[in-house]
Amino acid sequence: SAVISQKPSRDICQRGTSLTIQCQVDSQVTMMFWYRQQPGQSLTLIATANQGSEATYESGFVIDKFPISRPNLTFSTLTVSNMSPEDSSIYLCSVDWSGRYGYTFGSGTRLTVV
Amino acid sequence: AQSVTQLGSHVSVSEGALVLLRCNYSSSVPPYLFWYVQYPNQGLQLLLKYTTGATLVKGINGFEAEFKKSETSFHLTKPSAHMSDAAEYFCAVSALSGGYNKLIFGAGTRLAVHP
């Protein structure tokens, strides 16, 4: 399966600032997915990033708040902009490395906004 | 639209006892179903998945799940719990949306294993 490196693993940020999370995959993948896991909650899909096109956002998530880049087939970034304490969550990237429902997840970025 | 319901947010078993975590799904098309485990402060690890074929699916760490279309269920079982099984377990269904497949997760079940 694919190996995903996600950075940073955790961060504490001041409200009003922005944090960019990086996701690096050891193989080329078409789709990369970004999820949010709020404290004690399940995972919610933020957006899907396809190389060469704009990301597709789920209901309740907007590009101004969560801009995503996908410059090539092995890398993506998610930025959490103008952060507030409500953004404190774990953010995870995921790929379908095999194209046959082999969804793999990064270890996540634990974000605390103070 | 596809959805997943996990019955029981917390399950507690004794070491050596049967583990049964319940998952029911709703899908208008043949579903692809998954179970993931999340250990504290870690990402998600795939336990097993059902796509097509045999309805009894065996996964890692001794877990298995059976796809029952008539019951719209995909319950996760393990014959004998181990202390190391204590974790959060998520059931998920793959949903086709906007031309691609994405995972829809259940709320999760926290499994506690006591001596």
Side-chain angles (χ1 to χ4, degrees):
Chain A
S1 64
V3 176
I4 301 175
S5 300
Q6 193 172 333
K7 295 191 297 186
S9 59
R10 58 179 62 231
D11 207 341
I12 301 174
C13 300
Q14 297 292 321
R15 67 174 65 205
T17 63
S18 298
L19 176 72
T20 295
I21 302 167
Q22 300 181 2
C23 182
Q24 177 76 52
V25 189
D26 68 345
S27 57
Q28 294 184 343
V29 293
T30 302
M31 294 289 189
M32 296 182 76
F33 304 89
W34 286 98
Y35 287 85
R36 181 178 72 182
Q37 186 178 22
Q38 295 177 298
Q41 303 290 319
S42 185
L43 283 79
T44 302
L45 182 64
I46 298 171
T48 301
N50 191 3
Q51 194 266 337
S53 62
E54 286 193 4
T56 301
Y57 289 83
E58 298 296 308
S59 176
F61 298 95
V62 295
I63 187 171
D64 289 346
K65 176 66 175 178
F66 297 101
I68 289 171
S69 76
R70 183 78 201 277
N72 56 53
L73 291 173
T74 64
F75 187 79
S76 178
T77 66
L78 169 75
T79 298
V80 186
S81 303
N82 189 25
M83 289 184 285
S84 67
E86 291 71 35
D87 295 319
S88 297
S89 298
I90 300 173
Y91 293 86
L92 301 103
C93 68
S94 174
V95 302
D96 179 7
W97 65 274
S98 67
R100 291 180 284 117
Y101 307 98
Y103 298 98
T104 303
F105 285 80
S107 57
T109 296
R110 185 178 294 272
L111 170 62
T112 302
V113 183
V114 298
Chain B
Q2 285 88 342
S3 65
V4 171
T5 301
Q6 291 184 241
L7 299 176
S9 59
H10 291 81
V11 171
S12 181
V13 300
S14 299
E15 190 174 21
L18 171 71
V19 175
L20 171 60
L21 305 182
R22 300 177 185 274
C23 173
N24 288 89
Y25 69 89
S26 172
S27 177
S28 56
V29 298
Y32 293 167
L33 296 159
F34 306 78
W35 275 100
Y36 283 86
V37 60
Q38 186 178 35
Y39 297 102
N41 300 314
Q42 295 188 28
L44 272 70
Q45 181 181 13
L46 179 66
L47 281 175
L48 50 80
K49 65 180 179 182
Y50 168 78
T51 54
T52 58
T55 56
L56 181 62
V57 181
K58 296 185 183 298
I60 62 171
N61 302 339
F63 285 94
E64 63 181 35
E66 186 171 11
F67 169 61
K68 292 187 176 181
K69 182 178 180 180
S70 61
E71 299 177 8
T72 61
S73 69
F74 191 58
H75 301 331
L76 182 71
T77 61
K78 182 175 181 178
S80 177
H82 192 273
M83 297 295 289
S84 61
D85 294 326
E88 186 89 20
Y89 291 80
F90 294 96
C91 182
V93 63
S94 179
L96 181 64
S97 175
Y100 58 89
N101 288 289
K102 61 182 182 181
L103 287 180
I104 306 297
F105 285 86
T109 298
R110 183 168 298 276
L111 175 66
V113 182
H114 52 85

